[in-house]
Structure formats: structure tokens, C-alpha cells
Amino acid sequence: MSTPPRDKVQVGWICALPEEAAAAREMLDENFGTLKEQNGTDTNSYILGRIGNHYIAIAVLGQYGTTSATAVATNMSRTFSRSLKFGLMVGIAAGIPSPGHDIRLGDIVVSSPAGTCGGVVQYDTGKLVKDGKMERTGSLNAPPRLLLNAVLAMRSSTMTEVPKYLGYMEKAIHRNERTRKTFGRPDVSTDRLFRAECEHPATASTCEGCLPDWEQPRTAREDDEANIHYGIVASGNAVIKHAATRDQLGRETGALCFEMEAAGLMMDFPCIVVRGICDYADSHKNDTWHAYAALAAAAYAKELLDYVPSADLDTEKPVIEVCRRSSTYRVMPQE
């Protein structure tokens, strides 16, 4: 099939890393290749594709950070100004396990409103008060209602039906020898959650010498499915690699994971955040789960689009109009 015109593209899929982009491409029902013509001020590179009835533009940030995410989303809004309706921020993140959330490597976290939070909190923005505590003073937008409705419909369906994202993952993993090597699920023995006080030895390049006694006891799961968690995503420009800091910020924000781009999108770009858990934001070395976690997030995003009716999407205002008509970052009064 020939490449569709730009005005057909209604969904912007944003990712930050090569393995995230590779996972996104595996989810396309049709891949139309690179976009040949775009806005003259747009420095993004796009892969165009189709998932179900939706035409998708995939863009890769090229570097970490909320500022980079903002720039990519702004450029995307220019090139697809007539048609773009919402975005998906899809990729990997560091999990924040807690007594209330049994988060494992390879699981999926989806940004969802909780209390007064729209689903994403920028943990490194606010004002410092007594004892150096950060008082967060901003509120980021929730995902658009169309996507929240799709999430609810998907959650309801997976209570009684086998979710499709599991099949999407299997198909991508087993497509050829290279995809098996890239996206195959790591052995469960490499999913090690260490107690916060057990720091990784500074001189050790791997965790082979990290003792089993250092690990947090956890009940084995009945299967190896990627589980889904809905709640708050913590976003900021600092890489968290310290378990005690992870746990503290988790308690303060109620977040389920850390990542570095979403806050730059939620300010100016109606979207939802889907993250595969690749590590535990601690000092221990583990890059083994990156590609599998990226694939899990991409597979969830593909299934989520099944629950977005094309007719409803056609009636939505383009992203560029939504941004013009509303202030997407609401700063609460400061004392």
C-alpha cells in the first residue's frame, strides 16, 4: 500500500530509545517507512504506519529529558497540525515496588489519574521547604477522556478475556532469530529486587557477587505474564539509582515508576504514558530487561488502540487547537 497522506495521521507515538522504536515498529500492522515531507521547522524523523484503523507517526527523541520530549511533541504538532488528535508516550521505566504494588521487571505501568494527580507528577519541580523537603507546586493534565475511556474498556475486557497484548508480544518475539535474541523474555532469575540498605559494590561490574540474602523476599508468580499496573508515573530530569531515594519519592508521590520524558509532554500534548519496567531504580546493574520491557509497553499500546473508536477520534479537535485553547500546565498558588 502507498504511503498515506499526512492528514491521515491521528496518533503520535513517541519513544526515546532505539529498542523502544524497534518495539513500536514490531506493533505496526503496516509499515509505510519514513515520512518524506514535513514542516520546514520540524527536526523530527518519522516512521509512518497503521495499527488497526489508526494511522500512526512514530518519533524518537534521540536523548533523555523533559525538554527533549517537549520539542519533539511541538514539532509533531506542526507537521501533523490538521489531523493529530493525541499522543502515546511508550517505553521503559524504573519500577517502584511497594507493599501495595507488586511490581516486577517486564510489568507495564499506565498513567492514570489518582486523587488530585492527573497521572504524571514531576518529582523534581517545586519549592524546597523545611529540612530540604520538596513541595511540589504544579499539576499536570490527565490523559484525554477518549484515552481514559479506552483504558477503562480494556481493563474491563481483560477481567474475562485473554488480553491481546500477550499475543502481540509472542508474535514479535518469534518473528525471526533476531527478534528472539532482541526481545526474548530474560530468565526470571535475573529479576532481583535487593533490600534498600544493600548497595551494589562500587568495584563490581555485575551483580554476580550480590548475595541472595540481600534480596527482598517475594512470592513467586504463577506465570510469567507481563502484569499491568495503573496509577501515577513520576517524571523528571534526574536519573534515580538509589533505592532509599526511590522508596522515599514513591511514598511522597504515590508513583509506580520513574521516567524522564512524560512531564515534558503532559504540559503541552494530550497523551497517555505506557511504561515497561526494566529495573528498580537502585544501584544494582541490570540492562537485561530493557528490550523485553519496551516490547511489553508497545504491545499494551497496540491493544489500547483497539479500544479507541475511529468515529469518536474523528470528532476530536486536533492537538494544536487543544493546546491553543487551554493552559495545559496549571500552577497552584504559592504561599
Side-chain angles (χ1 to χ4, degrees):
M1 182 178 177
S2 59
T3 302
R6 280 191 297 174
D7 290 354
K8 288 280 190 179
V9 174
Q10 294 182 310
V11 181
W13 183 309
I14 300 176
C15 43
L17 301 173
E19 54 262 53
E20 296 171 353
R25 289 196 302 271
E26 288 296 318
M27 294 301 115
L28 296 175
D29 296 325
E30 285 187 277
N31 186 334
F32 302 112
T34 305
L35 178 66
K36 300 300 189 291
E37 293 185 11
Q38 58 198 70
N39 185 282
T41 63
D42 184 354
T43 57
N44 297 344
S45 177
Y46 300 101
I47 296 294
L48 297 187
R50 179 185 62 80
I51 294 178
N53 295 323
H54 304 297
Y55 290 101
I56 316 291
I58 301 171
V60 184
L61 300 186
Q63 60 183 0
Y64 292 112
T66 58
T67 301
S68 179
T70 300
V72 168
T74 300
N75 285 331
M76 181 179 279
S77 298
R78 292 180 183 137
T79 289
F80 303 101
S81 60
R82 296 181 182 178
S83 59
L84 190 66
K85 301 299 178 68
F86 66 79
L88 303 169
M89 182 74 224
V90 186
I92 59 176
I96 309 176
S98 68
H101 296 280
D102 179 29
I103 294 175
R104 310 281 178 104
L105 300 187
D107 281 357
I108 302 160
V109 171
V110 182
S111 65
S112 300
T116 59
C117 179
V120 175
V121 59
Q122 188 162 4
Y123 63 84
D124 57 358
T125 295
K127 60 181 179 181
L128 290 174
V129 294
K130 186 178 179 180
D131 298 326
K133 183 178 180 181
M134 176 72 74
E135 185 176 289
R136 292 163 189 87
T137 55
S139 175
L140 296 170
N141 275 2
R145 175 52 56 185
L146 186 71
L147 285 176
L148 291 178
N149 288 342
V151 167
L152 290 174
M154 183 171 170
R155 293 182 72 172
S156 176
S157 176
T158 54
M159 290 178 180
T160 55
E161 305 294 334
V162 177
K164 295 179 181 179
Y165 73 86
L166 299 172
Y168 297 151
M169 293 177 69
E170 285 298 306
K171 181 180 179 180
I173 290 170
H174 296 293
R175 188 169 65 83
N176 58 42
E177 183 59 34
R178 190 173 293 272
T179 56
R180 281 192 289 271
K181 183 178 179 181
T182 299
F183 294 116
R185 189 178 192 275
D187 192 272
V188 69
S189 65
T190 63
D191 182 359
R192 304 178 70 188
L193 174 61
F194 294 95
R195 299 196 305 273
E197 65 272 17
C198 297
E199 291 283 330
H200 184 78
T203 57
S205 60
T206 71
C207 279
E208 290 182 3
C210 296
L211 301 177
D213 289 347
W214 297 359
E215 294 181 39
Q216 186 74 35
R218 295 186 292 179
T219 302
R221 286 184 172 175
E222 294 181 358
D223 54 53
D224 59 2
E225 291 183 2
N227 288 359
I228 307 171
H229 309 268
Y230 297 92
I232 297 171
V233 172
S235 183
N237 289 302
V239 178
I240 306 297
K241 285 292 183 182
H242 186 251
T245 301
R246 172 201 68 201
D247 294 342
Q248 178 184 345
L249 287 172
R251 289 190 295 270
E252 291 177 0
T253 63
L256 305 182
C257 67
F258 293 113
E259 57 91 80
M260 300 181 66
E261 288 80 35
L265 294 180
M266 304 307 293
M267 293 169 64
D268 299 297
F269 195 67
C271 70
I272 197 165
V273 182
V274 182
R275 292 295 188 181
I277 301 304
C278 66
D279 62 53
Y280 291 121
D282 58 16
S283 60
H284 296 273
K285 315 293 184 181
N286 193 350
D287 295 336
T288 307
W289 287 80
H290 281 203
Y292 180 85
L295 185 70
Y300 177 93
K302 177 183 174 75
E303 181 170 0
L304 182 64
L305 289 174
D306 287 346
Y307 294 91
V308 178
S310 298
D312 290 353
L313 191 55
D314 289 339
T315 64
E316 291 286 304
K317 294 184 181 299
V319 165
I320 199 165
E321 288 188 27
V322 174
C323 293
R324 286 171 180 166
R325 293 167 65 92
S326 65
S327 174
T328 57
Y329 187 72
R330 304 181 298 278
V331 179
M332 296 185 293
Q334 297 187 18
E335 298 177 356

